[in-house]
Amino acid sequence: MTVSKFRLFRDTSRRILALSMPYFRSDERWQARGLLAAIVALNLGAVYMLVLINDWNRVFYDALQNKQADVFWHQLSRFALLAFAYIVIAVYKFYLTQWLELRWRAWMTRHYLDRWLANHLFYRLELARYAEGAAHQAPPDNPDQRIQEDVNLFTSLTVSLSMGLLNAVVTLASFVGILWSLSGNFAFSLGGSDYNIPGFMVWMAVLYCVAGSVATHYIGRPLIGLNFGQKRYEADFRSHMGRVREYSESIALDLGSPVENENLKQRFGRLMANYIALIKAQKRLVWFTNFFGQAAVVFPFIVAAPRFFSGAIQLGELMQIASAFDRVQGSLSWLVDNYDSLASWRATSDRLTTFEENLTHAQAVPEGLRTELGDDLQIDQLSIQLPNGQPLLAPSSAHARAGQKVLLQGPSGSGKSTLFRTLAGLWPHAHGTLSQPQRVMYIPQKPYLANGPLRNTLAYPDAASTYDDEALCEALCQAQLPHLCTELDREDAWSQKLSGGEQQRLALARVLLKRPAWVMADEATSALDEDTEQLLYQRLVALTQSQGGGLVSIAHRPELARFHNTRWRLEEVSSAPRRFRLVSESI
């Protein structure tokens, strides 16, 4: 059991160190190391001031006991200087610590955003949720929370806890010698023999704090798992409310409010149940830590009182012993005082390390699909699987040259949209060779419309400044949206503001604005009336012909066949499980 706990501690330490070190080795390493060195120096300075104040206690209280007014007033002026120096150190220690936390959080946030959004990892991590029985670790829940909240907590808690531990160690090293020299020897007889324990107060402080730390660990250990779970339940609850807001119209039309209300209440119920368990665990810990802290106030006086009443020490020395004991006991009680924060830090660190491991795994997974750029669209021995490993597309080959207009069709569930994602280079569960044309745009059935000014939404992902108002308005008019020409600077939630047909026309306006050579559309006009659909297809065909490219579209309406000269048909070759192959034919 001890060996396994040691290995767990060692592995956890390595993972946390792996999270922490990249920032201090980054391009900001000199600023980071400089801030850290300054904070360490200020912590050492603060401990040194406490040593001076501890010595001041002895002189000051002796002056009170001996009624030495001149010494009393002199020591008050000395205390003012010591206190002022300590305040200056404390203020700048706080200020520089906040700056280090801020800069570290900013760097880690940028670092994880770059990795999460690179090479479509954010998409692949979501797909991995459906990979039943996959050998790799389950994908992380709520990556947004891990980047936004967990990074913030990790940096702030790491800095505060590490500096607190450093301060405790330095304080212990500084005051243990003082307490040893002041505490004297403890002599007692047992079984006819005389015993003498030097530095008795030090040993009492060690015994007191070791007992308290062990008890705190066993009382507070459940907090680690409960904190981890609380963060997950909070994020799940918030995420589902966001989905209700995003799909508000569909839910309202389906009269799904009672169902969503029940789903949210269930998630909130799990959140509250975990929170109640967390509160109860914290209550037990608070009971003990407060008892431990209050007992520590009088403990040194109880132990040192016999020497004071016997006249062996004066009041000033008694107060110095109490002050030194408080510093030593406070240093040794660092675990007791910070266990709740440590539990939260451990849970946050675990969430970030699992996120880091999943990102690393996703980056390291070899690509089964070999992709290259060319003038045409060509697939060679392309096979596709579902995330759970079930085959979907048998090895197939096809070629679409410039000037061709391909209509992709097949029965429901045959994998048309999955093939579309594969042609876009998004689908990770594919093998074979894919040659993608240059200057290509993909239009999904439900386009993404960013919130903000309409000109930004129309130009997305390009900068709106790339296009003048005349070009933007012309694209809107070609997409049958002339009424939006006066709305270019209006900020709105366009996915909520526009109807389904308007959203699809806005996505087509993007294509007409940017004028790619190749266009690949997945049911991109399914929400349009027949006349508007045919008009926009005419413009898409004209666009691709003028740019020397081609068109690949998924569509169910038979009327659209006349805009294409080639059909790629998904033909079923196996029914259990359903498996298809791609067949190319002329229209």
Side-chain angles (χ1 to χ4, degrees):
M1 181 66 72
T2 303
V3 174
S4 63
K5 287 184 177 180
F6 174 75
R7 287 177 179 173
L8 177 62
F9 173 77
R10 182 189 60 189
D11 293 343
T12 301
S13 300
R14 286 177 177 174
R15 293 165 68 190
I16 292 175
L17 192 63
L19 279 178
S20 304
M21 291 309 297
Y23 173 60
F24 294 94
R25 295 171 179 166
S26 68
D27 53 352
E28 297 184 16
R29 59 186 178 276
W30 296 117
Q31 298 96 318
R33 295 173 186 178
L35 281 171
L36 183 61
I39 294 168
V40 170
L42 288 171
N43 271 277
L44 296 177
V47 173
Y48 177 69
M49 297 308 300
L50 291 176
V51 172
L52 295 179
I53 292 173
N54 176 266
D55 181 69
W56 172 88
N57 273 313
R58 175 182 57 81
V59 179
F60 180 76
Y61 284 102
D62 279 347
L64 280 177
Q65 184 179 24
N66 298 328
K67 297 181 174 57
Q68 296 173 312
D70 56 335
V71 177
F72 170 82
W73 292 111
H74 174 72
Q75 289 302 314
L76 277 182
S77 61
R78 180 169 175 249
F79 177 79
L81 293 175
L82 293 174
F84 178 75
Y86 183 82
I87 291 170
V88 171
I89 291 173
V91 168
Y92 279 96
K93 183 177 71 171
F94 166 80
Y95 180 71
L96 295 181
T97 299
Q98 295 298 305
W99 262 110
L100 178 60
E101 292 175 9
L102 179 66
R103 294 179 67 94
W104 192 1
R105 179 194 178 185
W107 185 89
M108 284 191 73
T109 300
R110 292 193 300 268
H111 173 70
Y112 279 120
L113 284 176
D114 289 343
R115 294 181 62 193
W116 183 51
L117 295 172
N119 300 319
H120 312 300
L121 284 188
F122 63 97
Y123 176 72
R124 297 186 180 189
L125 287 176
E126 290 303 310
L127 279 180
R129 294 184 179 279
Y130 306 99
E132 299 175 2
H136 62 272
Q137 187 177 1
D141 60 274
N142 304 295
D144 52 321
Q145 185 205 33
R146 302 195 186 212
I147 295 174
Q148 182 266 324
E149 183 178 337
D150 290 344
V151 165
N152 183 27
L153 286 173
F154 175 77
T155 53
S156 61
L157 287 174
T158 300
V159 173
S160 62
L161 289 172
S162 58
M163 289 300 103
L165 180 59
L166 171 67
N167 191 71
V169 171
V170 175
T171 300
L172 177 63
S174 300
F175 281 92
V176 71
I178 297 173
L179 184 60
W180 184 283
S181 62
L182 292 173
S183 60
N185 300 330
F186 180 73
F188 64 97
S189 299
L190 183 64
S193 301
D194 295 330
Y195 297 93
N196 191 40
I197 302 177
F200 178 68
M201 293 292 291
V202 174
W203 297 116
M204 292 301 296
V206 170
L207 181 63
Y208 184 80
C209 295
V210 167
S213 298
V214 171
T216 299
H217 173 66
Y218 282 100
I219 294 171
R221 185 165 51 179
L223 288 172
I224 297 173
L226 291 170
N227 273 294
F228 188 98
Q230 190 65 26
K231 293 180 183 299
R232 178 175 182 176
Y233 295 137
E234 294 276 5
D236 285 345
F237 180 58
R238 184 173 62 244
S239 175
H240 195 76
M241 284 195 294
R243 286 182 60 81
V244 172
R245 185 181 68 248
E246 182 180 359
Y247 294 97
S248 56
E249 182 179 350
S250 299
I251 293 171
L253 291 172
D254 288 335
L255 303 179
S257 299
V259 176
E260 296 307 322
N261 190 14
E262 185 62 29
N263 287 337
L264 285 170
K265 285 180 178 178
Q266 288 179 1
R267 283 173 167 79
F268 187 69
R270 289 193 290 269
L271 183 157
M272 290 301 294
N274 189 84
Y275 191 53
I276 290 170
L278 181 62
I279 290 174
K280 290 180 178 178
Q282 288 175 326
K283 176 186 174 184
R284 292 191 294 269
L285 184 62
V286 170
W287 265 110
F288 179 78
T289 54
N290 276 273
F291 174 81
F292 182 86
Q294 292 302 313
V297 174
V298 298
F299 186 80
F301 291 101
I302 295 173
V303 176
R307 296 182 63 210
F308 174 72
F309 290 124
S310 68
I313 57 175
Q314 295 191 40
L315 178 61
E317 196 168 358
L318 175 65
M319 298 304 296
Q320 189 179 17
I321 289 173
S323 176
F325 182 91
D326 178 65
R327 299 300 178 187
V328 171
Q329 177 268 330
S331 301
L332 293 172
S333 300
W334 180 83
L335 178 64
V336 176
D337 297 334
N338 292 279
Y339 199 90
D340 195 11
S341 297
L342 281 167
S344 178
W345 176 70
R346 169 68 186 277
T348 300
S349 300
D350 286 347
R351 288 176 59 81
L352 278 180
T353 51
T354 54
F355 183 51
E356 169 73 28
E357 288 166 1
N358 275 273
L359 286 175
T360 302
H361 174 84
Q363 289 173 322
V365 171
E367 294 285 349
L369 183 65
R370 297 183 298 276
T371 60
E372 57 188 35
L373 291 177
D375 296 327
D376 302 335
L377 173 64
Q378 183 170 357
I379 57 175
D380 185 26
Q381 293 298 302
L382 175 68
S383 62
I384 300 175
Q385 298 80 37
L386 296 175
N388 60 9
Q390 178 182 324
L392 180 64
L393 180 69
S396 303
S397 299
H399 187 191
R401 296 175 178 83
Q404 278 190 279
K405 297 171 285 295
V406 178
L407 178 62
L408 176 59
Q409 292 183 316
S412 179
S414 58
K416 298 184 293 298
S417 293
T418 304
L419 177 57
F420 175 82
R421 299 182 190 108
T422 304
L423 297 179
L426 295 181
W427 194 255
H429 310 290
H431 296 79
T433 302
L434 167 65
S435 177
Q436 295 171 308
Q438 303 181 57
R439 296 181 57 210
V440 59
M441 283 188 68
Y442 301 88
I443 316 175
Q445 184 174 0
K446 183 174 175 55
Y448 170 70
L449 304 181
N451 294 343
L454 180 61
R455 63 174 67 249
N456 293 356
T457 306
L458 178 57
Y460 183 88
D462 297 340
S465 57
T466 308
Y467 309 97
D468 57 31
D469 287 6
E470 183 179 353
L472 295 172
C473 188
E474 181 183 356
L476 289 171
C477 290
Q478 286 186 326
Q480 300 296 93
L481 294 171
H483 58 285
L484 293 182
C485 288
T486 58
E487 307 288 324
L488 289 174
D489 293 313
R490 179 175 176 178
E491 295 192 23
D492 215 325
W494 297 105
S495 59
Q496 302 291 326
K497 179 73 173 178
L498 302 179
S499 68
E502 287 177 318
Q503 292 181 45
Q504 289 191 337
R505 278 180 279 162
L506 188 58
L508 291 167
R510 285 177 181 166
V511 176
L512 297 169
L513 173 69
K514 300 178 183 183
R515 304 187 64 77
W518 284 79
V519 175
M520 299 191 189
D522 180 10
E523 295 283 355
T525 58
S526 59
L528 304 183
D529 62 87
E530 185 177 337
D531 291 340
T532 303
E533 181 181 51
Q534 295 202 16
L535 175 62
L536 290 176
Y537 254 95
Q538 288 175 359
R539 290 175 177 173
L540 286 179
V541 169
L543 170 64
T544 57
Q545 287 179 339
S546 67
Q547 299 297 315
L551 172 68
V552 177
S553 55
I554 301 173
H556 286 98
R557 291 177 181 171
E559 296 82 2
L560 294 181
R562 69 186 185 91
F563 297 102
H564 303 81
N565 52 26
T566 303
R567 178 184 284 111
W568 285 359
R569 181 167 48 84
L570 289 168
E571 181 181 83
E572 187 171 0
V573 296
S574 172
S575 58
R578 296 189 74 188
R579 193 180 184 194
F580 301 84
R581 67 180 175 185
L582 189 63
V583 178
S584 179
E585 57 191 23
S586 298
I587 297 178

